[in-house]
Amino acid sequence: GIQVEQSPPDLILQEGANSTLRCNFSDSVNNLQWFHQNPWGQLINLFYIPSGTKQNGRLSATTVATERYSLLYISSSQTTDSGVYFCAVERAGANSKLTFGKGITLSVRP
Amino acid sequence: ETGVTQTPRHLVMGMTNKKSLKCEQHLGHNAMYWYKQSAKKPLELMFVYSLEERVENNSVPSRFSPECPNSSHLFLHLHTLQPEDSALYLCASSQEGYPGAYEQYFGPGTRLTVT
């Protein structure tokens, strides 16, 4: 199956700092999503981004499908950004099956 | 609030009990999913239903039995579980299309503890 690798596995930031989270995948994809999992387990959709660039407030994401990676940018981080960030991909032809990476644990300190 | 609800939010059950998890989506989607999230592991897809028919079963033990009576509701029936089945169980929904499913939305999860 498709491999999804996220880096770094853990990240500690001071409030106000910027960061880049990376997701590499091993095959062509139809679907790529970034999620934020809060401490209570809820997965919150950040971006649906199989290709291109999107921005939503302090967050933005870029997927370069031909090079099989995606980046999530967090600017001016806040303590509420803490949690686990997951990248999930659907391999082209594997309808309805999202494969998740192991996640990046982000801690933002005041 | 993602439009996907799950009940109960927490469940403790013995190995001989039978219980059910419920998921409901209010998004008008036609596909629903069960995922398992164990500590320190990536989310694992368990079941996929598209248009109320099961299309994916990732070699899940028979002690987990899904049911999808209509496109808005999904159940996971549990019986004779093992302690290693303790995990967060997440439900999701999406709109099926071509070339594949679109954005998936997740419920808040049921945290299951098997004693």
Side-chain angles (χ1 to χ4, degrees):
Chain A
I2 192 167
Q3 305 300 311
V4 182
E5 293 184 3
Q6 292 186 247
S7 59
D10 300 280
L11 188 56
I12 300 174
L13 298 176
Q14 204 64 34
E15 198 169 26
N18 302 330
S19 63
T20 301
L21 285 60
R22 187 176 181 102
C23 173
N24 291 339
F25 44 94
S26 61
D27 207 340
S28 300
V29 298
N30 287 333
N31 178 0
L32 187 147
Q33 291 184 241
W34 282 98
F35 297 92
H36 175 213
Q37 189 169 39
N38 67 23
W40 298 272
Q42 174 75 63
L43 279 167
I44 299 163
N45 292 44
L46 298 178
F47 294 101
Y48 170 74
I49 187 164
S51 63
T53 298
K54 291 185 178 180
Q55 179 152 11
N56 184 0
R58 295 182 297 103
L59 302 182
S60 63
T62 295
T63 297
V64 183
T66 52
E67 297 188 22
R68 299 183 182 169
Y69 72 89
S70 183
L71 302 174
L72 177 68
Y73 306 97
I74 304 175
S75 64
S76 304
S77 58
Q78 300 177 357
T79 55
T80 51
D81 295 332
S82 297
V84 184
Y85 289 80
F86 288 101
C87 168
V89 304
E90 176 191 342
R91 183 176 58 82
N95 285 2
S96 311
K97 184 174 179 178
L98 274 184
T99 300
F100 280 74
K102 292 183 178 180
I104 296 170
T105 301
L106 174 64
S107 298
V108 181
R109 296 181 173 170
Chain B
E1 180 62 47
T2 62
V4 182
T5 58
Q6 290 187 242
T7 54
R9 295 294 308 276
H10 300 271
L11 179 62
V12 179
M13 59 186 289
M15 289 191 285
T16 58
N17 291 158
K18 290 185 180 180
K19 296 286 184 184
S20 296
L21 309 185
K22 179 182 176 182
C23 176
E24 184 173 358
Q25 59 95 1
H26 309 274
L27 300 170
H29 289 163
N30 60 10
M32 297 186 76
Y33 313 78
W34 280 116
Y35 288 86
K36 176 183 179 182
Q37 186 178 25
S38 304
K40 306 297 183 184
K41 287 187 177 181
L43 273 78
E44 303 169 67
L45 178 65
M46 299 175 73
F47 299 103
V48 179
Y49 276 83
S50 175
L51 299 172
E52 302 154 41
E53 290 193 12
R54 191 161 73 192
V55 297
E56 180 85 27
N57 173 359
N58 276 1
S59 302
V60 178
S62 59
R63 57 185 183 270
F64 296 91
S65 175
E67 179 189 0
C68 187
N70 56 59
S71 60
S72 299
H73 294 86
L74 184 66
F75 295 88
L76 187 64
H77 304 299
L78 315 172
H79 66 95
T80 323
L81 294 192
Q82 303 299 310
E84 59 265 28
D85 297 322
S86 299
L88 181 67
Y89 288 85
L90 291 159
C91 172
S93 73
S94 71
Q95 185 63 27
E96 277 283 285
Y98 181 81
Y102 296 106
E103 192 169 4
Q104 290 191 23
Y105 292 85
F106 283 77
T110 296
R111 194 163 294 279
L112 173 67
T113 302
V114 181
T115 61

